[in-house]
Amino acid sequence: MMRRQQSYRFEDNENTSYALKMNRRFSRVESGADLKDYFDRGDIASRENRWNFEVAWEVANKVGGIYTVIRSKAYVSTEEMGEQLCMMGPYKENCARTEMEEMEFPRGNPLLDAVNSLRSRGYKIHTGRWLVDGNPQLILFDIGSAAWKLDQFKSEMWEKCHIGIPHLDIETNDAVILGFMIAEFLEEFRNFAVTYSQNNELSAPRIVAHFHEWQAGVALIVLRTRLVEIATVFTTHATLLGRYLCAGNTDFYNNLDKFAVDEEAGKRQIYHRYCLERGATHLAHVFTTVSEITGYEAEHLLKRKPDIITPNGLNVKKFSAIHEFQNLHAVAKEKINEFVRGHFYGHMDFDLDKTLYFFIAGRYEFGNKGADIFIESLARLNAMLKHEKPDTTVVAFLIFPTKTNNFNVDSLRGHAVIKQLRDTINNVQQAVGKRMFDTCLKGNIPNPDDLLQKDDLVKIKRCMFAMQRDSMPPVTTHNVADDWNDPVLASIRRCHLFNSVHDRVKMVFHPEFLTSTNPLFGIDYEEFVRGCHLGVFPSYYEPWGYTPAECTVMGIPSVTTNLSGFGCFMQEHISDPKSYGIYIVDRRYIGLENSVQQLSSFMMEFSRLNRRQRIIQRNRTERLSDLLDWRTLGIYYRQARVKALQAVYPDYVDELTLYGSRNNLIFSRPHSEPPSPTSSRHTTPAPSVHGSDDEDSVDEETELKELGIK
């Protein structure tokens, strides 16, 4: 059975108006300026003696999505703050040895004085530069060097906050040690910065520390309870309790105002972690979340409404390829075609030129990521394609890492057979070419019967016979451990999507993240995304959603939901998201069955597009890149810091920050949007009028003019 059969409608009470008018009620600071307006490499910050510290467990330590946030934001942060910015986190040797270039701070710098002060207490601290765009300054703390003070730290936490930490919770113990080490460092840094400022006749230092997630929040709690004069910002990317509640098949959004949060946290044995998160939330001068939907969740679970929404961005420069991205799509798609030829060998009864590639990817949270309704919708799409477009095939990839035993032997054999056929054909082709050349050289017209000899035919027939198989192509590329209880495979069995010859939707479950060393695909995740036609992410619980954002900046249309931060952001800032290739499924105000129908209709609508229509849509999707660039979205982080500084230093005035409506973030319907063709909906690009159906031919003058390409 699929999860959450309830209808996600809010009851007619006080929460109804909150849910329907959430944008109006959030105290979101808007700005008409982009962050690039402040790019001076820290010149103004240096003159104002303003320092910024960013603290997270995932600084130079790849664990999850927060690593992507901080790493991708590093460039714009250093362009804005320069040497006045420093990032801090735990020292994890496996990651640090490849991500950090160790070096000491220059003499006379208060950072060096604070580091040496802590080293004198026996703490091991590594300083240097993070080897990412921007090369920000880095301070990593060796947790093991302060483990001997754990009981002392816990005692202080209990005496001042009445939060008890279980001895066996290693992750929380590490967070406590890191938090106290960072708090002591910041306290020492402030003292040295004051002395440095007085000696050099500078204004008093203004320090702001930004903490991400509950692990880093321990340091915030310590700073505030010790009354250290430092402005603090706390950002939650997803509430701790929210993740646990959603993992338990709870009707989450309909019951947010009804949960007994202390009791629910206690049931899941995370009460101490919940207290740390809630304590950091309330002690911070400024509290932010990454999306409106997470802000709504935080107000009920953490009991504080966010002061500012700080959406996650991407370093779009990494993906920018101007209009070359259409060619990159064609190249990457051909690599996926190679995989499909091998995986479906012996059953290549469909035309690759009329095949669409859909995919879903992320952590293996079957319900939270929407894999349940994706598979159900694919079953319905399969039936619709059989009836309406039997010559169109959809290959659906599900990329979820899970425990496996090894590669599926049938998949490996298929790729070996296809390679053998290709090598044989190449050898025969060379032999035929040589015979044709020799015949022509003698002045004779080549006879087809003489060119292809009997030995060549025998080799080709042997390869073709080797391609025959009685079984259907496998739905998975690996042997999944405990496959009978695997939720994806169980759902595929229930929907009878077995890759039969009659199915127009083919399934490929790849239970491993993609890398360029993968023997089946041989491409990394970014290239795989470029080669697909549609990303489908119908998440139930998704505080932001980097997967559809990555699709957007690469010009790949995607499906998201109004329960994801990305989907809410697009709804707010784009007048007609669908016309830009952003399909938003309603998983909030309608029932599950209706959501499944809506998703299947979106996928069917996309399947009806011809090649030229998809080109136009990809161009429109790529236009949204600037909207998701950190140069645009980083301004919200700056505004959060300014608000925190003004809370601690009332005399501080940020003359460059402009308040007002952010009109340049509203995308209207595209200018190239034509009148509705009779065969498509009002947001569908017009069909080709001159018969050009070549997906990769964007060189015709009329088409370039329509797409706005000079």
Side-chain angles (χ1 to χ4, degrees):
M1 290 293 293
M2 293 176 63
R3 59 179 294 189
R4 301 187 182 97
Q5 298 294 338
Q6 300 94 333
S7 174
Y8 303 122
R9 294 187 178 90
F10 290 87
E11 291 80 2
D12 293 329
N13 54 23
E14 295 179 0
N15 289 324
T16 305
S17 59
Y18 187 100
L20 297 176
K21 301 178 181 178
M22 187 165 51
N23 290 345
R24 299 179 187 177
R25 290 198 44 198
F26 275 113
S27 301
R28 180 174 185 164
V29 178
E30 300 288 0
S31 171
D34 289 330
L35 191 63
K36 59 178 178 287
D37 297 333
Y38 307 98
F39 284 179
D40 60 4
R41 298 291 300 179
D43 181 56
I44 295 177
S46 179
R47 283 189 271 119
E48 293 178 351
N49 203 8
R50 177 163 44 89
W51 298 82
N52 179 30
F53 293 90
E54 195 147 5
V55 184
W57 187 264
E58 298 188 34
V59 168
N61 176 32
K62 188 172 184 179
V63 178
I66 300 171
Y67 172 87
T68 304
V69 175
I70 297 172
R71 177 188 172 119
S72 62
K73 190 168 67 70
Y75 173 76
V76 296
S77 297
T78 50
E79 285 297 307
E80 178 196 1
M81 296 295 297
E83 300 298 282
Q84 304 297 108
L85 167 73
C86 187
M87 296 188 174
M88 300 191 290
Y91 178 77
K92 301 291 183 180
E93 186 176 358
N94 289 339
C95 294
R97 66 162 64 114
T98 58
E99 301 225 1
M100 180 185 188
E101 179 184 7
E102 293 203 33
M103 60 180 68
E104 294 295 332
F105 294 114
R107 284 190 175 185
N109 191 321
L111 289 170
L112 179 63
D113 295 333
V115 167
N116 288 335
S117 176
L118 261 66
R119 284 172 175 165
S120 67
R121 302 179 190 181
Y123 298 164
K124 290 183 180 179
I125 300 177
H126 301 260
T127 62
R129 298 272 183 182
W130 196 357
L131 298 177
V132 297
D133 288 345
N135 296 115
Q137 297 180 115
L138 208 57
I139 301 177
L140 301 182
F141 298 82
D142 189 331
I143 295 172
S145 65
W148 58 281
K149 298 185 72 174
L150 177 60
D151 290 338
Q152 178 184 330
F153 296 155
K154 284 185 177 182
S155 177
E156 181 177 338
M157 188 66 70
W158 174 255
E159 291 171 1
K160 292 187 176 181
C161 307
H162 295 286
I163 299 176
I165 312 296
H167 177 69
L168 296 178
D169 189 345
I170 298 175
E171 184 179 359
T172 307
N173 288 339
D174 289 347
V176 168
I177 296 171
L178 176 67
F180 273 85
M181 292 177 77
I182 289 175
E184 290 180 17
F185 169 83
L186 289 173
E187 189 173 6
E188 286 296 307
F189 172 79
R190 186 190 176 281
N191 295 333
F192 283 112
V194 169
T195 303
Y196 178 83
S197 302
Q198 292 171 348
N199 294 340
N200 292 274
E201 298 182 352
L202 299 174
S203 60
R206 297 184 176 97
I207 305 168
V208 60
H210 191 149
F211 302 88
H212 296 265
E213 285 298 309
W214 67 272
Q215 296 101 322
V218 175
L220 189 154
I221 294 173
V222 177
L223 286 173
R224 298 287 278 139
T225 55
R226 291 184 178 181
L227 305 178
V228 180
E229 191 179 286
I230 289 178
T232 57
V233 179
F234 180 66
T235 296
T236 179
H237 296 257
T239 66
L240 191 65
L241 185 56
R243 283 200 180 278
Y244 276 85
L245 288 170
C246 280
N249 293 336
T250 306
D251 184 16
F252 184 63
Y253 292 99
N254 274 339
N255 293 290
L256 264 178
D257 60 328
K258 301 180 182 68
F259 289 121
V261 290
D262 293 324
E263 180 182 348
E264 294 292 344
K267 285 179 183 177
R268 290 159 178 79
Q269 299 183 353
I270 57 166
Y271 185 67
H272 54 290
R273 297 187 183 190
Y274 169 74
C275 289
L276 291 173
E277 183 180 40
R278 186 166 169 178
T281 298
H282 286 269
L283 288 172
H285 294 102
V286 172
F287 171 54
T288 79
T289 63
V290 297
S291 63
E292 310 279 8
I293 194 72
T294 310
Y296 174 64
E297 173 189 339
E299 180 164 2
H300 284 86
L301 299 185
L302 298 177
K303 308 303 180 184
R304 180 177 178 180
K305 184 173 70 174
D307 301 291
I308 296 177
I309 303 299
T310 51
N312 290 334
L314 285 164
N315 186 3
V316 175
K317 180 183 177 182
K318 173 185 176 185
F319 300 108
S320 65
I322 314 300
H323 300 292
E324 182 68 13
F325 76 93
Q326 293 284 4
N327 296 331
L328 294 176
H329 165 75
V331 172
K333 186 181 69 173
E334 181 54 35
K335 294 183 179 181
I336 300 177
N337 286 346
E338 279 299 298
F339 165 82
V340 170
R341 292 185 183 103
H343 190 80
F344 292 94
Y345 81 95
H347 291 275
M348 284 296 299
D349 56 335
F350 51 92
D351 185 356
L352 288 179
D353 288 334
K354 296 181 179 180
T355 299
L356 302 175
Y357 297 139
F358 296 177
F359 80 99
I360 184 173
R363 289 187 304 274
Y364 199 4
E365 298 175 5
F366 181 69
N368 285 352
K369 295 298 181 183
D372 49 357
I373 76 166
F374 180 47
I375 296 172
E376 177 66 29
S377 298
L378 286 172
R380 302 186 187 193
L381 175 65
N382 188 35
M384 288 188 280
L385 287 173
K386 288 179 183 178
H387 174 71
E388 185 177 332
K389 290 181 71 69
D391 59 337
T392 299
T393 302
V394 170
V395 178
F397 295 93
L398 296 93
I399 315 294
F400 291 123
T402 188
K403 189 175 181 181
T404 62
N405 295 324
N406 213 325
F407 286 101
N408 188 312
V409 174
D410 207 18
S411 289
L412 292 173
R413 181 175 183 274
H415 290 279
V417 168
I418 293 300
K419 183 179 183 302
Q420 182 184 19
L421 175 63
R422 185 179 297 280
D423 292 343
T424 301
I425 295 296
N426 287 337
N427 292 335
V428 171
Q429 190 176 5
Q430 289 180 3
V432 169
K434 186 176 184 302
R435 294 186 196 112
M436 184 181 295
F437 176 77
D438 291 340
T439 302
C440 293
L441 196 62
K442 296 174 183 177
N444 300 323
I445 299 297
N447 185 345
D449 295 334
D450 297 333
L451 295 179
L452 192 63
Q453 297 181 351
K454 187 175 181 179
D455 288 346
D456 298 330
L457 287 172
V458 169
K459 293 177 182 177
I460 294 173
K461 287 179 180 179
R462 290 178 65 178
C463 289
M464 293 182 65
F465 292 153
M467 290 174 56
Q468 297 176 358
R469 64 177 177 185
D470 299 326
S471 62
M472 290 184 290
V475 297
T476 178
T477 58
H478 292 62
N479 296 319
V480 178
D482 194 20
D483 66 336
W484 191 251
N485 294 315
D486 183 83
V488 164
L489 295 179
S491 187
I492 289 174
R493 295 186 192 104
R494 180 178 59 79
C495 294
H496 297 282
L497 293 172
F498 296 127
N499 294 340
S500 72
V501 67
H502 303 292
D503 286 331
R504 291 300 89 209
V505 173
K506 313 289 186 181
M507 305 294 292
V508 179
F509 176 32
H510 188 71
E512 218 178 58
F513 282 133
L514 293 174
T515 63
S516 56
T517 58
N518 188 304
L520 299 180
F521 283 91
I523 57 177
D524 58 18
Y525 177 74
E526 179 186 333
E527 194 173 8
F528 172 79
V529 172
R530 284 193 184 277
C532 288
H533 296 91
L534 182 70
V536 185
F537 313 101
S539 304
Y540 179 78
Y541 184 78
E542 190 71 80
W544 175 245
Y546 257 124
T547 42
E550 288 169 339
C551 286
T552 301
V553 300
M554 287 189 276
I556 304 300
S558 62
V559 178
T560 182
T561 73
N562 58 357
L563 288 180
S564 74
F566 174 81
C568 293
F569 181 81
M570 286 300 179
Q571 277 186 320
E572 180 184 354
H573 293 292
I574 304 177
S575 298
D576 185 10
K578 197 190 297 185
S579 65
Y580 284 93
I582 308 295
Y583 299 84
I584 301 176
V585 175
D586 188 352
R587 294 204 64 182
R588 187 169 188 176
Y589 302 115
I590 63 177
L592 187 61
E593 171 62 23
N594 292 333
S595 296
V596 171
Q597 291 178 7
Q598 189 179 40
L599 176 56
S600 57
S601 68
F602 282 162
M603 293 192 293
M604 186 63 201
E605 184 178 328
F606 185 85
S607 301
R608 292 191 187 105
L609 301 179
N610 61 36
R611 288 184 166 187
R612 186 163 172 270
Q613 287 174 314
R614 293 197 297 270
I615 291 174
I616 295 172
Q617 191 177 63
R618 280 200 297 273
N619 277 281
R620 289 182 188 160
T621 304
E622 197 267 345
R623 290 178 202 166
L624 301 178
S625 295
D626 289 342
L627 183 62
L628 299 171
D629 194 345
W630 274 121
R631 292 171 179 81
T632 302
L633 298 180
I635 193 69
Y636 296 120
Y637 277 81
R638 178 183 175 88
Q639 290 165 352
R641 295 195 300 269
V642 168
K643 193 169 185 177
L645 285 168
Q646 290 172 340
V648 178
Y649 312 103
D651 59 328
Y652 175 69
V653 177
D654 183 36
E655 297 177 357
L656 292 177
T657 301
L658 305 173
Y659 296 96
S661 63
R662 192 166 180 134
N663 295 325
N664 64 328
L665 271 184
I666 302 298
F667 274 66
S668 60
R669 286 169 64 88
H671 297 297
S672 60
E673 182 77 11
S676 293
T678 56
S679 61
S680 63
R681 301 186 59 167
H682 70 282
T683 56
T684 304
S688 170
V689 293
H690 50 73
S692 172
D693 270 350
D694 186 358
E695 185 169 14
D696 309 315
S697 67
V698 291
D699 299 325
E700 296 188 20
E701 184 177 351
T702 54
E703 184 171 357
L704 294 175
K705 183 177 179 181
E706 181 176 355
L707 299 180
I709 303 173
K710 295 182 179 180

